[in-house]
Amino acid sequence: MFDEVADVPGLPRVLLIGDSISIDYTLDTREMLKGMANVHRPACNCMFSGNVAENIKTWLGEEKWDVVHFNAGIWDCHFVDANGNIIEPGQDYYDENSIRTTPSQYKENLNKIVDAILASGAKPIFATTTSIPAWNDKRRAYLNGLNEIAKEIMLYKQVQVNDLYTYSLPHLAEWQLPDQVHFNPLGKKQLARKVSEEILGALGSQAKILDWAPEKGAVSTMSGREVVRYNQDCIERWGYAQPRTEFFYVMKASKELHQNPLVVFLHSAGGDAEKELADNVERVAGYGDEFVGLAVNSPSTLDEPIDGMAEYDWWWGAKAIEKHPELYKDKMTRVESRVLDTIEWVVQNYNIDRNRIYLRGISMGGSGTLGIGLAHGDVFAALQADVFAGVEHAVFRLKNAAAEPPYAVMLFSQLDGWSKGAEQLLDMINVDYLGMSYAWDIYGHDNNKLYESADQAVVNFPWLSIRRNQAYPVFTNATSNDHYPGNMNQGPDQRGQVNAYFRWSVLEDTADRFIIELSTVNRVQFVKDSQLVPDALKKMQQSITTDVTLRRLQNFIVSADTGKTFQWVAESSGEIQAMGDVMPNPKGLLTINKIEIGLVPVKLMISVKEN
């Protein structure tokens, strides 16, 4: 750990400062952040806070650091004699007059350390000191008091805190060596994982530290693509108490970009990742040479005892939620955790653009796409769910989703028993302002027939061009929308669509202004010649009036509690078509009512209204 580290050019530089606990997790931290950061440390035990304060400028040197992760605390609790030599007392010994560092000295030292790090331009992270069960109650209380002093300083100076004390406390019996001070190999890795995650957060990285790796299997070629099979052991952290091995396939891009987009496939109940592999490889090839594909597997075992409960991987977690809704209200199902971690592994190992990760599924996979995808807008840019077999999973997950949901494109049939209950999700579009475009037709659960006959503006919707780091519009109450007849209903609108014809492009998203260009697709290109009767052609060329709500804004901040009024202007061909003022709704979203959109693009410009 004291060896000189040769920096990988272009990666951020991180400095670890601390005592033997820090020394012990240095190598694991360096390995976990390999390819993401250059991790250094001083070639010594940094010992107590006074020593760190005295040497901090020397350790920082003249080089640029992005993050400095530091700790001092254990050595500050040592009993020392008049010459500064450590006294080795018995278990019950406690003399506050012999403790190396007083609370006021500790506070002064930490302030000097933090100020030096900030002056260097680096982001500091303070790690609280881990507990020492071998010490008596008074001595442990003194250590905890130093931790509290440190946290107050960091709060005041707005410095990130890595609370290793709280993180490790429940696991000390498992993670520490018999000396009840230092950590065993498992404990070192667990501390390194937490340290690495905190460092990545300070760097603004979205990468996760993975504690598993798959085993590479067979390599084959399909549709001109190299396809690699991987086997993965299902780990306890995901919720697998019993040993299980699953698999997934990666379809490599045939054109390497700086970062490649990824499409993740969830299979149907009638298949698995292997049975549907050939079709999905063909789909990825059709999406473009730059696309990478990932097909994950959900086993068909319906009932498996796990810790005394009946759990399910089946239906991509929907069955687990159905059995234990309270348990999974604020917790991911095990298959959900496995899928997301598998995606993270592919992102890190196949050079994936995090802003272009897409999720697609048919039937059971369509249900899983909605259930997993809509709840994880922090991962997915957009979704495509065809002939989804149930929406209860999605409706349940959306109620507690923390991130902005991704845009969803759906194709299904009202004459499909599996679409029963779809109205719950469709109603949420207006209530919760969900970005969705969808079409329905009479062909039941036949995905291929629906692709041939349903509204082609949805079939060909450019969902793979949507980016996670870009705002999108939600369209509601559009005059072009058909009325969904309801499950097994033989009434009007047996074929129809909602929000099929809108297209957009974000032109500006800054702190001061947001501009989006809105238009309709030329519907004529999606219609057979025999359907081009004069009335239909005229209707296709008409403008559409719709309400527009903005979601996933990046820099243009809108909040329900600011009391700000926003001014909007709709402009087409250089002329103002409409303008007005709007305030955020209780959900903190801006809705511009009755915007007229046609083949000629409309610029919608929004800014904060000056009082």
Side-chain angles (χ1 to χ4, degrees):
M1 67 283 298
F2 293 148
D3 293 341
E4 183 136 354
V5 175
D7 280 344
V8 176
L11 294 183
R13 303 181 75 245
V14 174
L15 181 63
L16 301 182
I17 292 175
D19 55 27
S20 57
I21 307 299
S22 170
I23 291 172
D24 283 349
Y25 59 64
T26 294
L27 289 181
D28 285 321
T29 302
R30 191 171 287 157
E31 180 62 27
M32 290 177 183
L33 293 178
K34 187 176 181 179
M36 294 182 277
N38 298 304
V39 179
H40 300 254
R41 69 162 298 113
C44 62
N45 186 322
C46 302
M47 300 188 293
F48 51 95
S49 63
N51 186 58
V52 178
E54 183 179 343
N55 290 282
I56 183 64
K57 291 184 179 180
T58 300
W59 293 336
L60 290 170
E62 299 299 323
E63 297 178 278
K64 179 184 182 298
W65 298 101
D66 295 278
V67 170
V68 177
H69 181 283
F70 73 102
N71 163 264
I74 291 176
W75 282 66
D76 290 278
C77 297
H78 283 161
F79 298 111
V80 296
D81 61 22
N83 297 317
N85 299 312
I86 297 174
I87 300 172
E88 298 293 347
Q91 170 65 27
D92 296 329
Y93 180 87
Y94 186 83
D95 178 10
E96 64 180 12
N97 295 318
S98 299
I99 291 178
R100 184 195 302 274
T101 308
T102 66
S104 61
Q105 289 171 333
Y106 190 69
K107 182 175 182 179
E108 181 182 351
N109 292 335
L110 289 192
N111 274 305
K112 287 180 180 178
I113 296 166
V114 172
D115 289 346
I117 295 171
L118 291 171
S120 75
K123 290 184 178 180
I125 303 174
F126 176 78
T128 56
T129 305
T130 53
S131 184
I132 302 178
W135 287 356
N136 59 46
D137 290 345
K138 287 184 177 180
R139 200 173 180 193
R140 287 202 308 273
Y142 192 84
L143 184 152
N144 293 343
L146 296 187
N147 274 336
E148 292 305 312
I149 289 171
K151 287 193 283 189
E152 287 182 10
I153 293 171
M154 303 311 151
L155 179 64
Y156 178 75
K157 292 182 176 286
Q158 296 185 314
V159 169
Q160 183 176 331
V161 173
N162 180 9
D163 195 356
L164 290 182
Y165 174 87
T166 302
Y167 171 72
S168 63
L169 192 62
H171 308 284
L172 293 180
E174 180 186 5
W175 291 359
Q176 279 187 332
L177 291 169
D179 67 3
Q180 296 186 320
V181 178
H182 298 92
F183 288 78
N184 61 30
L186 173 61
K188 292 176 187 178
K189 284 187 179 296
Q190 294 297 337
L191 293 182
R193 178 184 174 88
K194 184 70 164 62
V195 170
S196 299
E197 288 173 344
E198 293 285 340
I199 290 170
L200 287 175
L203 291 171
S205 171
Q206 297 164 15
K208 298 177 182 177
I209 304 302
L210 298 175
D211 53 358
W212 64 279
E215 180 184 349
K216 187 175 182 178
V219 180
S220 59
T221 301
M222 297 181 181
S223 299
R225 293 298 187 94
E226 184 177 315
V227 179
V228 185
R229 177 181 170 121
Y230 291 92
N231 298 314
Q232 60 182 164
D233 291 329
C234 296
I235 60 178
E236 187 175 353
R237 180 171 59 79
W238 295 337
Y240 293 88
Q242 304 298 325
R244 166 177 279 174
T245 300
E246 277 303 333
F247 66 93
F248 61 91
Y249 286 97
V250 175
M251 311 150 206
K252 296 176 70 172
S254 56
K255 179 182 179 181
E256 292 290 337
L257 302 180
H258 172 63
Q259 288 184 314
N260 290 75
L262 171 70
V263 181
V264 183
F265 296 95
L266 305 184
H267 63 76
S268 67
D272 59 28
E274 187 168 3
K275 291 177 183 176
E276 298 182 6
L277 180 62
D279 287 342
N280 285 331
V281 175
E282 189 174 342
R283 287 188 179 96
V284 170
Y287 294 154
D289 292 344
E290 71 276 19
F291 279 89
V292 176
L294 166 62
V296 289
N297 196 60
S298 178
S300 58
T301 302
L302 290 179
D303 193 351
E304 178 189 351
I306 300 292
D307 298 334
M309 299 185 301
E311 290 279 21
Y312 301 89
D313 271 16
W314 200 226
W315 236 263
W316 301 105
K319 298 297 183 183
I321 291 172
E322 183 182 303
K323 280 282 185 179
H324 309 286
E326 286 303 312
L327 176 63
Y328 293 112
K329 186 177 180 181
D330 300 307
K331 175 185 175 182
M332 290 192 294
T333 65
R334 66 186 191 183
V335 68
E336 188 175 7
S337 295
R338 174 165 61 86
V339 167
L340 293 177
D341 263 16
T342 302
I343 292 171
E344 178 65 25
W345 185 87
V346 173
V347 168
Q348 293 185 23
N349 288 273
Y350 281 89
N351 195 37
I352 300 301
D353 184 346
R354 290 184 181 275
N355 292 311
R356 297 195 65 196
I357 301 176
Y358 306 94
L359 187 61
R360 185 187 192 279
I362 297 173
S363 190
M364 180 183 86
S367 176
T369 292
L370 296 174
I372 294 175
L374 288 174
H376 291 287
D378 56 331
V379 176
F380 302 107
L383 320 173
Q384 185 180 61
D386 293 338
V387 292
F388 46 80
V391 300
E392 294 83 0
H393 185 184
V395 171
F396 182 89
R397 270 285 182 247
L398 273 168
K399 291 177 181 176
N400 293 294
E404 292 266 12
Y407 202 92
V409 179
M410 304 180 296
L411 200 65
F412 59 101
S413 173
Q414 74 282 4
L415 302 182
D416 178 5
W418 286 109
S419 68
K420 182 179 180 180
E423 292 85 352
Q424 297 177 72
L425 183 60
L426 304 184
D427 288 345
M428 291 177 77
I429 293 177
N430 289 330
V431 175
D432 294 328
Y433 304 96
L434 301 182
M436 291 188 176
S437 297
Y438 59 93
W440 61 91
D441 210 324
I442 62 174
Y443 288 101
H445 208 64
D446 190 332
N447 181 69
N448 292 325
K449 283 283 190 181
L450 285 167
Y451 258 70
E452 293 175 5
S453 65
D455 196 302
Q456 296 299 294
V458 171
V459 173
N460 293 279
F461 198 92
W463 64 291
L464 293 173
S465 66
I466 297 173
R467 298 182 59 89
R468 186 177 61 91
N469 63 339
Q470 201 169 67
Y472 65 78
V474 172
F475 304 101
T476 51
N477 303 315
T479 55
S480 59
N481 288 349
D482 297 308
H483 174 72
Y484 179 65
N487 188 249
M488 297 302 175
N489 194 308
Q490 300 293 328
D493 289 334
Q494 288 295 291
R495 293 182 175 88
Q497 59 71 41
V498 166
N499 300 332
Y501 309 130
F502 297 113
R503 303 293 185 264
W504 66 87
S505 177
V506 175
L507 303 181
E508 186 175 328
D509 186 346
T510 65
D512 300 320
R513 187 169 63 168
F514 179 82
I515 304 176
I516 189 169
E517 189 173 75
L518 305 167
S519 63
T520 60
V521 69
N522 186 350
R523 286 168 268 177
V524 176
Q525 64 183 302
F526 298 130
V527 180
K528 297 176 182 177
D529 292 341
S530 60
Q531 296 176 312
L532 289 179
V533 294
D535 288 346
L537 182 61
K538 183 178 180 181
K539 183 178 180 181
M540 290 177 192
Q541 295 174 331
Q542 290 176 346
S543 296
I544 300 170
T545 301
T546 182
D547 299 338
V548 177
T549 302
L550 303 175
R551 295 214 70 149
R552 208 157 60 186
L553 292 161
Q554 301 297 302
N555 301 303
F556 189 72
I557 305 301
V558 177
S559 176
D561 57 4
T562 60
K564 290 182 179 178
T565 300
F566 294 82
Q567 184 177 55
W568 63 270
V569 176
E571 178 186 290
S572 181
S573 299
E575 296 184 2
I576 295 177
Q577 304 296 314
M579 61 189 304
D581 295 341
V582 62
M583 293 189 69
N585 64 25
K587 293 182 182 293
L589 302 172
L590 288 181
T591 297
I592 316 300
N593 295 317
K594 299 186 182 306
I595 296 295
E596 188 174 333
I597 304 173
L599 292 172
V600 178
V602 172
K603 280 186 182 179
L604 180 60
M605 299 174 284
I606 304 173
S607 58
V608 178
K609 186 175 182 179
E610 300 294 337
N611 293 326

